[in-house]
Amino acid sequence: MRPFTYERAATAKDAAARAARTPGAKFIAGGTNLLDLMKIEVETPAHLIDVNGLGFDRIEPTADGGLRIGALVRNTDLAADMRVRRDYALLSRALVAGASGQLRNKATTAGNLLQRTRCPYFYDTNQPCNKRKPGSGCAAIGGFSRPLGVIGVSEECIATHPSDMAIAMRALDATVETVKPDGTARSVPIADLHRLPGTTPQIETALDDGELITAVTLPKPIGGTHIYHKVRDRASYAFALVSIGAIIQKDGSGRVAVGGIAPKPWRVEAAEAAMPGGARAVADGLLAGARPTQENGFKLTLVERTLGAVMAQARA
Amino acid sequence: MKFDTPATTNPIDRLKVVGKATDRIEGPLKTTGTAPYAYERHDAVADPAYGYIVGAGIAKGRIVSMDLAAARAAPGVIAIVTAANAGKLGKGKFNTAKLLGGPEVDHYHQAIALVVAGTFEQARAAAALVHVHYARTRGNFDLAAAKSSAQPPKAGGIGGKPDTAVGDFAGAFAQAPVSLDATYTTPVHSHAMMEPHASIASWNGDQLTIYTSNQMINWSKGDVAATLGIPAEKVRLISPYIGGGFGGKLFVRADAIMAALGAKAAGRPVKVTLQRPLMFNNTTHRPATIQRIRIGAGQDGRITAIGHEGWSGDLPGGGPETAVNQTRLLYAGPNRMTATRLAVLDLPEGNAMRAPGEAPGLMALEIAIDEMAEKLGMDPVRFRILNDTQVDPEQPSREFSQRQLVECLRLGAERFGWDKRVAKPGSVRDGRWLIGMGVAAGIRNNLLMKSAARVRLDSHGIVTVETDMTDIGTGTYTIIAQTAAETMGLPLDSVIVKLGDSSFPASAGSGGQWGANNSTAGVYAACMTLRDKVAQALGLNAADVDFADGQVRSGNRSIALGDAARSGELVAEDGIEYGDLDKTYQQSTFAGHFVEAAVDAATGEIRIRRMLAVCAAGRILNPKAARSQVIGAMTMGVGAALMEELAVDTRFGFFVNHDLAGYEVPVHADIPHQEVIFLDEEDPISSPMKAKGVGELGLCGVGAAVANAVYNATGVRVRDYPITLDKHLGRLPTLT
C-alpha cells in the first residue's frame, strides 16, 4: 500500500471539487473493496476523500411514489428496509445473496455499484491487464477464464462486474443521482452508468472526474413476483457464475437482468418481449452476440436453464 | 521403551481419563484469543522489525537485475535481503526448491527478497518499490502435456515402489467378463489453512531462536540449520500453537528462513508472515493427478484383476503424488498392478497435504469401484464387502493388525438408510432437486514413528509433560494430558502439557495421522519410567505399585504422589521405539463414508444434504477431538469433490486463483449435517496406546462418496474433479 493523504469531506460539492482537482484522489466510503486493492497496489490513490460524513444515509419516499436511497446506506440496512422488502423484494434478495454479513454491514450503496471486477488477473500485478495497466494486454483471454464474461466483452478485457445489488437495480430501472465538481446535479439511468470495455477497459463508468454519487432512486413499484436466483460453486460467500434478477407479472410478461456474464448488469429490454414464449427465446435475445471462451461457454446454457427455473418458479 | 510385541493389559486400559470425550485443555486460550500464535509473540520479542517478502513474478527464468534503490530509500526501511547479499545458503532435506530464489527463479512467487522496515506498512510499501527485470525461460506447466515424458520416480521412502505386480494382470483383465478401464483426474489442492506461515526470528550471538508455526519441530530444526549453514544445536524452534497445517507446515518455509536472514541483516528480531496471495504459489500444494484404473471381475462380482496407474508432476528433484498405494491393500484380487510416474513440472513445489496419496487416490479408485458395481448390477456396498480381504493381497501371509472395513460399511449402510437408495440413477426427485446417495470406502495406513517426552513430578503432585510434539488444532495437548493423567493415576487438571519447543525431547510430530498414537505412546513410555522413579523414591517395589486417585498404593500403604518429589522434582525422559510389527502386520485404519447429495435440476448446482462416516481406527483417545478431526476432514472432502482447484495458467506457469476469494473451500452453508461413528476397536499391535490415527482417515474416500452420490442423483458420471456444475450441466435432463 502506498502512503496517501486523507481528508473528510464536508459537503458533496466540496468532495467532488476536491476530488477533481487533486491528482490521484479517490472517494472512500465502506472501503470493503478499495482497501483490499490498495494493499496489493492494484489501486494506488495518492489521496482519499472520506465521504462517510455527508449524511446520505437515509431511505426516503419520492414524490412520484418511488424510493430514494442515499449513497451511504449500508447494504445490510437497505436489504432490511421494510419498504424495500415489500415493494422491491428483488433488491433485498440480491443484496443478501452477496458477500457476507460483515461486508454488507460496511459496504455502501454507491460503493457496491462502483466496485471493481474480481478477475484474478486484475488482482495480480505481475500479470498483464488492460484494466489495471492500459495497453499491457489481457492475460485472462486464453487463461483461466471460467468465472469471466461472455457478452459485452472485448478483445481487450473479459472482466465481469461482480455486483448482485446492481442486477436488481438494473431490473428495477433505478436512476443514479450525482453531484459534479461544479456543484451541478445530474441523473444517470443505471443502464448508462457502467460502460462496456471496448478498447478502454480502464474506464468503467460514465461518471466524470470527481463526480460523486449521492443517491439511487427507484421508480414507483411495479408489483409482480420478484426472484433473484444466484448460481455459484458454493452455497454462500461466492461470486455468481450466473445470476438472474427477474420481475415477472401474472400475465407472464416481465423484466430480466443477468449477473456474472458481462462487464455491467446485463439487460436487453427487447428480449423481454419474448417472456411469454419461454426461457429459450429470452436467453437467445439476451445472449445474442455472446463471445464466450472455451472455459466459460457453459454460462450460456446456464443462463437459459436458470431463467427457465425462475420463470417456472414465478408461474408456481 | 521398545515396542516390539503386541501390547497386553497396561495402565491405559483403565480408561478413567483416556477414551473419554474431553474438552480441549487449551480451548479457553484459543476461544478467548489469548493463545499466542507465532506472529503474536509480543511476550517473547518486544520490538521486532517487520519483514515483507517479494515473490518472483515469473515461473521460470532468471533475475537479470534488481533495482533496490527506491525501496532502500523508502521510509522506515532497515535492510533488504536478496540472494545477492544473503551469503551462501544450503537447502533443507525436506525442501525441493530453494526458499530464497535468485538469480535463478524456480517457481512463481518464490521468495526473491525480504524488505525489513520499522512497521509492517512500511515494509509492504517498500517491497512494492523493488523493481525486478527477468529473463523468462520456457517451462513445463501442463501435467496432461507432460504425461508422456513422465518417468518412474526413485524407489523408497513413504512413496513406496514405482511399480508393483502380482499374478498376471494383463491376462486376467483381458479375460474378465466384466471390466472397466477409466481415467480420472484430480486438480492441484492448497492447504489453505487459516493461519498463514509466520515466524519471528531472533539472534543472540550465533544462537538463533525462531517462533514459528510448524508441524515437525525436529525435522525443521535440522532444515533451518542446513539452510543457514549453522550447527543444529544453535537453532531453537518454538511453536506451541498452530492455526492449521494440513501438511503445509511439515517443512521449513520462506517465512522462517527469511526472518532469520532479515534479523541478521537488521541486527534485531524480525517477524515475517506470508501474505495470503503469496501462499498458494510460494508454499507447497497437493499435486494434480491423472489416474487410470482398470478392474476386471467375474459375473459373481469377485475382482480378478485390478490395476491403478498414477501420473503427477513436480519440480526437478521432487517426488510423486502416490495415488496408487491404497489400491495395493484395499480389495482382494489375485492379479494386480500399480505404477507411479512422475513428470517434471516447473510449477511450485508439490508435497504432502492431508492424506497424501490416499486422498486423491481414493477419489479415483472409489468412483471406479462404484462404476464396476453398476456394471455388475450389484449394490456398491455389497460389491465392496464381497471383495474385502483380511490379508495383504500382495503377501497373503501378512495379516492386517485390525481390519473392520466390512463392519464400517454394514453399520454405515444401516444407520444411513442405504436401503432407501434407488440403484437406477436419476430416479429420485424432491421438488427442483435430483437426489442421490453415494458410498465409498476409506483406508489410511497407521505409521509408526519414534517419539520421546520428558515428564516432571513436583511435590504438589503436578505432572508436567515436555515434548516437541505439536498441536496443529487437532487436540494433541488434551490427549497427551489424558495419557499422562491415566498413567500416573491423576485427574486431568493435575497435568500440565508443554509442546512445540525444540529444546524438549524429539517427538513424532504432527503429520500423516501418526501424531496421536506415537506421541501419546512416547508420553506413556516416559510416564512408566517416572512411575519407576516414584516407586524408588518412596522405597516401594515398582512391580506391585498402583497409581490411582493421586495416590501411590502398595499393599495397604497409600501415599500422595507428590510426596515422591518432596525432596526435589522427579524427572524422567523416555520414548517409544518400534520393532517390526508394522512389517509383520499391515497396520491401517478404515472407514465407510456415506453421502446424500442434491443436484439442482436446472442449474446443476450440487449441495450436500447429509454425511456419515463410520471409522475403525483403534482406540479413540478422545472421542470429542477425534470427531472434530473427522468432521473437519469430511468437510475438506466435500471441498475436494465440489470446488477446490488451484487453476493452473499453463502459459505463465502459476496458480491463478491465489487467494481465498478465488480458491473456494466449503462454508457453513455447504455442510448441513454430519455424523461420525467410531467402532469400538483396540489395536494392541499398533502401540501400548492401542490407538491409531483418524485425522486423515476422515478425508479418505469422502470425495468419491460425494461423486457417487452426485452420479446416483443425475446419471451423469463426472471423472474430473472438482465436480462443478459446468461438467454435467449439458448432460442433465432437459427442463420441461
Side-chain angles (χ1 to χ4, degrees):
Chain A
M1 186 185 279
R2 292 209 196 148
F4 56 89
T5 52
Y6 168 90
E7 69 176 316
R8 289 196 178 120
T11 66
K13 182 186 167 190
D14 183 44
R18 293 189 65 95
R21 70 168 177 265
T22 314
K26 286 243 171 206
F27 300 122
I28 184 164
T32 58
N33 188 209
L34 180 63
L35 289 176
D36 282 357
L37 293 171
M38 287 170 67
K39 289 173 188 172
I40 54 174
E41 301 215 353
V42 170
E43 293 270 18
T44 53
H47 183 67
L48 288 185
I49 300 170
D50 186 335
V51 296
N52 282 299
L54 297 184
F56 303 134
D57 52 4
R58 294 174 59 189
I59 305 173
E60 306 160 309
T62 62
D64 61 357
L67 217 49
R68 186 171 186 276
I69 302 159
L72 292 166
V73 173
R74 307 289 151 168
N75 287 178
T76 296
D77 297 331
L78 182 56
D81 185 275
M82 280 314 294
R83 293 160 294 185
V84 173
R85 291 174 62 182
R86 184 185 63 219
D87 297 331
Y88 308 95
L90 177 60
L91 178 57
S92 205
R93 288 172 185 149
L95 280 160
V96 297
S100 66
Q102 293 91 331
L103 287 165
R104 294 193 298 267
N105 287 344
K106 197 80 183 145
T108 64
T109 304
N112 189 316
L113 288 173
L114 297 180
Q115 66 182 301
R116 311 294 305 274
T117 184
R118 261 61 175 192
C119 174
Y121 294 96
F122 175 72
Y123 270 71
D124 188 333
T125 52
N126 292 314
Q127 305 303 323
C129 172
N130 288 321
K131 188 183 276 299
R132 176 168 31 77
K133 194 176 175 192
S136 61
C138 173
I141 296 172
F144 173 55
S145 58
R146 179 177 179 270
L148 301 175
V150 296
I151 194 161
V153 296
S154 71
E155 295 291 332
E156 279 74 25
C157 184
I158 59 170
T160 56
H161 192 272
S163 172
D164 293 296
M165 182 195 79
I167 305 305
M169 287 182 169
R170 180 71 179 88
L172 289 163
D173 278 335
T175 302
V176 177
E177 295 180 15
T178 71
V179 169
K180 291 199 180 201
D182 64 3
T184 58
R186 71 162 170 157
S187 295
V188 182
I190 189 142
D192 301 335
L193 177 68
H194 298 103
R195 291 172 42 126
L196 294 181
T199 56
T200 54
Q202 74 277 17
I203 304 171
E204 294 177 347
T205 70
L207 301 179
D208 291 345
D209 265 1
E211 190 171 1
L212 177 70
I213 297 177
T214 54
V216 175
T217 304
L218 302 178
K220 207 167 74 173
I222 60 165
T225 300
H226 290 221
I227 299 171
Y228 190 72
H229 193 139
K230 181 174 181 179
V231 181
R232 42 189 159 178
D233 286 325
R234 65 180 172 191
S236 180
Y237 199 39
F239 292 99
L241 292 168
V242 159
S243 68
I244 303 280
I247 303 168
I248 300 176
Q249 306 295 343
K250 283 218 161 61
D251 63 3
S253 69
R255 303 174 181 181
V256 176
V258 186
I261 62 167
K264 60 188 288 188
W266 197 252
R267 183 174 169 200
V268 178
E269 276 85 344
E272 292 164 2
M275 284 195 63
R280 165 74 56 92
V282 182
D284 284 349
L286 273 166
L287 300 172
R291 33 192 287 179
T293 67
Q294 213 169 4
E295 290 189 357
N296 66 21
F298 73 94
K299 289 191 175 188
L300 306 184
T301 313
L302 189 56
V303 167
E304 183 192 325
R305 293 183 71 108
T306 309
L307 182 57
V310 165
M311 290 166 71
Q313 188 186 336
R315 282 195 303 270
Chain B
M1 179 184 287
K2 183 84 183 243
F3 184 77
D4 50 12
T5 53
T8 53
T9 301
N10 68 39
I12 300 298
D13 293 325
R14 289 189 292 194
L15 297 181
K16 285 188 175 170
V17 193
V18 169
K20 297 269 189 286
T22 305
D23 288 348
R24 294 185 188 200
I25 59 173
E26 89 291 11
L29 291 178
K30 288 177 175 171
T31 52
T32 57
T34 47
Y37 287 78
Y39 203 67
E40 302 155 356
R41 290 305 300 269
H42 316 294
D43 59 318
V45 181
D47 185 27
Y50 291 77
Y52 197 86
I53 289 178
V54 179
I58 62 167
K60 187 173 166 66
R62 225 168 168 280
I63 295 168
V64 177
S65 66
M66 276 176 112
D67 180 357
L68 305 178
R72 276 212 180 94
V77 171
I78 299 164
I80 300 178
V81 178
T82 69
N85 64 19
K88 187 175 174 331
L89 295 176
K91 189 155 73 66
K93 195 168 128 189
F94 296 96
N95 294 131
T96 304
K98 290 181 294 182
L99 295 175
L100 173 57
E104 298 302 322
V105 172
D106 303 304
H107 64 85
Y108 195 71
H109 277 172
Q110 183 178 30
I112 54 169
L114 181 82
V115 178
V116 180
T119 69
F120 173 78
E121 289 76 13
Q122 288 170 333
R124 181 174 61 187
L129 298 173
V130 173
H131 296 294
V132 188
H133 295 280
Y134 301 99
R136 285 177 199 263
T137 49
R138 293 163 75 90
N140 296 319
F141 307 122
D142 185 349
L143 177 61
K147 180 176 171 242
S148 59
S149 67
Q151 299 292 322
K154 259 192 330 212
I158 293 171
K161 303 173 184 169
D163 292 278
T164 67
V166 173
D168 172 19
F169 170 77
F173 181 72
Q175 285 161 25
V178 181
S179 66
L180 170 84
D181 181 350
T183 297
Y184 306 84
T185 63
T186 63
V188 179
H189 290 152
S190 177
H191 309 87
M193 72 296 273
M194 264 212 285
E195 182 205 25
H197 295 76
S199 293
I200 305 177
S202 174
W203 292 89
N204 183 2
D206 62 354
Q207 175 72 42
L208 172 65
T209 302
I210 306 180
Y211 301 86
T212 189
S213 182
N214 189 289
Q215 299 174 226
M216 297 294 294
I217 298 301
N218 198 41
W219 288 3
S220 296
K221 174 181 165 165
D223 268 6
V224 167
T227 307
L228 298 175
I230 59 177
E233 57 269 22
K234 297 290 185 191
V235 177
R236 184 172 174 201
L237 300 187
I238 299 175
S239 184
Y241 300 108
I242 297 162
F246 309 118
K249 294 174 181 166
L250 289 168
F251 320 110
V252 177
R253 298 301 312 170
D255 57 304
I257 296 302
M258 297 309 285
L261 294 171
K264 180 145 260 186
R268 64 189 263 201
V270 166
K271 61 156 82 178
V272 176
T273 186
L274 296 186
Q275 57 269 34
R276 184 68 67 179
L278 206 72
M279 288 187 60
F280 299 81
N281 286 279
N282 177 277
T283 71
T284 59
H285 61 269
R286 187 201 300 286
T289 67
I290 299 171
Q291 302 178 51
R292 181 190 188 197
I293 296 177
R294 284 173 291 172
I295 303 174
Q299 296 290 1
D300 62 354
R302 290 193 187 278
I303 292 173
T304 54
I306 184 162
H308 194 159
E309 298 155 84
W311 291 263
S312 62
D314 203 0
L315 286 167
E321 183 69 25
T322 54
V324 307
N325 278 0
Q326 74 287 319
T327 307
R328 297 172 61 190
L329 292 167
L330 190 50
Y331 295 110
N335 303 290
R336 340 177 45 94
M337 65 80 67
T338 66
T340 298
R341 295 293 180 267
L342 176 64
V344 171
L345 289 181
D346 299 297
L347 292 169
E349 173 174 340
N351 216 316
M353 179 168 150
R354 198 176 199 171
E358 280 92 337
L362 285 162
M363 286 167 76
L365 176 65
E366 287 296 288
I367 293 184
I369 292 292
D370 201 64
E371 296 199 57
M372 269 307 280
E374 188 181 33
K375 280 174 181 258
L376 288 157
M378 189 175 278
D379 179 88
V381 171
R382 202 178 139 229
F383 180 56
R384 287 176 171 88
I385 290 173
L386 183 69
N387 288 288
D388 184 54
T389 174
Q390 291 295 312
V391 296
D392 177 349
E394 293 179 5
Q395 301 176 58
S397 63
R398 188 167 171 262
E399 294 177 2
F400 284 89
S401 60
Q402 289 278 353
R403 177 170 167 131
Q404 296 202 72
L405 174 60
V406 169
E407 290 76 4
C408 290
L409 291 167
R410 284 213 173 107
L411 181 64
E414 183 193 315
R415 294 291 177 87
F416 199 69
W418 184 254
D419 58 342
K420 294 190 182 59
R421 173 181 178 267
V422 179
K424 185 169 180 285
S427 327
V428 182
R429 264 311 262 269
D430 177 8
R432 59 185 247 236
W433 298 97
L434 307 166
I435 309 298
M437 288 191 208
V439 64
I443 178 174
R444 173 71 179 154
N445 290 342
N446 183 52
L447 302 175
L448 301 182
M449 313 265 283
K450 69 177 184 179
S451 191
R454 184 160 54 224
V455 285
R456 303 172 182 277
L457 172 67
D458 73 10
S459 60
H460 304 290
I462 301 292
V463 166
T464 301
V465 183
E466 296 171 343
T467 167
D468 84 354
M469 181 60 192
T470 49
D471 187 324
I472 60 173
T474 43
T476 313
Y477 276 102
T478 311
I479 55 171
I480 282 180
Q482 289 174 277
T483 302
E486 193 76 75
T487 314
M488 299 309 299
L490 290 171
L492 195 64
D493 61 6
S494 293
V495 179
I496 295 166
V497 181
K498 296 182 176 175
L499 299 181
D501 187 329
S502 65
S503 68
F504 298 154
S507 72
S510 297
Q513 82 169 14
W514 64 60
N517 180 46
N518 294 293
S519 72
T520 55
V523 170
Y524 168 80
C527 287
M528 291 307 282
T529 302
L530 182 61
R531 283 166 58 124
D532 289 346
K533 291 196 173 185
V534 167
Q536 199 180 7
L538 295 174
L540 302 171
N541 177 5
D544 56 30
V545 172
D546 182 40
F547 291 72
D549 308 321
Q551 301 287 309
V552 187
R553 297 198 180 99
S554 177
N556 55 8
R557 292 179 63 196
S558 184
I559 307 163
L561 179 63
D563 286 359
R566 198 180 283 163
S567 56
E569 190 184 50
L570 292 186
V571 182
E573 187 171 330
D574 202 345
I576 195 82
E577 288 180 57
Y578 297 92
D580 60 359
L581 285 172
D582 56 343
K583 297 196 173 53
T584 46
Y585 292 89
Q586 175 58 40
Q587 299 192 23
S588 304
T589 60
F590 297 90
H593 287 287
F594 294 81
V595 170
E596 182 178 315
V599 180
D600 187 310
T603 65
E605 284 168 289
I606 301 163
R607 300 289 180 252
I608 303 297
R609 290 202 157 182
R610 58 195 182 100
M611 311 177 74
L612 166 67
V614 183
C615 301
R619 173 176 280 155
I620 301 303
L621 302 172
N622 178 352
K624 187 171 187 178
R627 178 181 181 276
S628 295
Q629 279 293 289
V630 174
I631 63 172
M634 290 158 77
T635 303
M636 197 176 233
V638 171
L642 300 182
M643 62 193 82
E644 292 187 42
E645 174 175 20
L646 274 177
V648 181
D649 187 311
T650 56
R651 307 159 306 167
F652 298 120
F654 75 110
F655 305 133
V656 183
N657 48 337
H658 53 67
D659 57 33
L660 290 176
Y663 186 80
E664 291 184 9
V665 299
V667 294
H668 282 92
D670 291 299
I671 309 293
H673 185 76
Q674 297 176 316
E675 263 190 86
V676 182
I677 297 170
F678 294 107
L679 295 189
D680 200 5
E681 181 178 293
E682 289 170 2
D683 193 337
I685 292 166
S686 75
S687 83
M689 302 303 294
K690 303 175 186 174
K692 292 187 281 199
V694 294
E696 299 191 335
L697 177 68
L699 174 59
C700 291
V702 176
V706 173
N708 295 337
V710 171
Y711 171 75
N712 183 240
T714 62
V716 180
R717 183 65 78 178
V718 177
R719 299 187 182 89
D720 301 298
Y721 290 99
I723 306 170
T724 47
L725 62 90
D726 43 306
K727 292 178 185 160
H728 63 195
L729 187 67
R731 292 183 280 159
L732 292 181
T734 316
L735 294 177
T736 49

